[in-house]
Amino acid sequence: QVQLVESGGGLVPPGGSLRLSCAASGSIFTIYAMGWYRQAPGKQRELVATVGSGGSTNYRDSVKGRLTISRDNAKNTVYLQMNSLKPEDTAVYYCYADLRTSGWSRSDYWGRGTQVTVSS
């Protein structure tokens, strides 16, 4: 069994900051990529940022320079530092991990999501 649990969402005014965390636990052999997606009401889920096992990162254009993804491999945890937040960043944020279990199967695992609301 593998679980991903997000934390750190909330309500923040425009221009504010939040830090999301997502910890993976369970029968994990190794984690390849980790990342964050988001889904706003009435919209499709979209990729926000990813980080590879070696630390390489990828961002969607609209968040570059404002959001920073990082990971702690020793803790199986991925972070998303969110600065200069805008109302259009409002969404449920989901973390994911591409990982191999100790049973040697490989798959994507998802957290349940954390709400981020940017509003005055």
Side-chain angles (χ1 to χ4, degrees):
Q1 293 278 353
V2 174
Q3 284 189 321
L4 272 66
V5 179
E6 300 105 333
S7 61
L11 173 64
V12 62
S17 297
L18 282 174
R19 189 190 194 212
L20 306 183
S21 300
C22 173
S25 63
S27 302
I28 299 170
F29 177 76
T30 193
I31 301 178
Y32 301 103
M34 301 185 81
W36 294 91
Y37 281 70
R38 67 187 181 188
Q39 187 167 19
K43 295 187 177 181
Q44 290 189 334
R45 190 175 295 191
E46 61 185 20
L47 175 67
V48 177
T50 62
V51 56
S53 57
S56 60
T57 58
N58 180 54
Y59 297 91
R60 71 178 301 103
D61 287 345
S62 63
V63 307
K64 287 179 180 178
R66 301 187 299 115
L67 276 57
T68 302
I69 190 170
S70 61
R71 65 189 280 176
D72 184 333
N73 290 332
K75 297 181 179 179
N76 288 340
T77 298
V78 62
Y79 305 97
L80 187 66
Q81 178 65 44
M82 309 169 71
N83 299 329
S84 302
L85 283 164
K86 304 176 180 181
E88 51 263 43
D89 294 316
T90 296
V92 177
Y93 284 70
Y94 299 91
C95 75
Y96 87 96
D98 170 13
L99 63 85
R100 189 178 297 280
T101 68
S102 56
W104 212 243
S105 64
R106 180 174 178 175
S107 183
D108 287 345
Y109 289 82
W110 293 85
R112 293 189 174 185
T114 185
Q115 177 70 47
V116 172
T117 302
V118 184
S119 175
S120 55

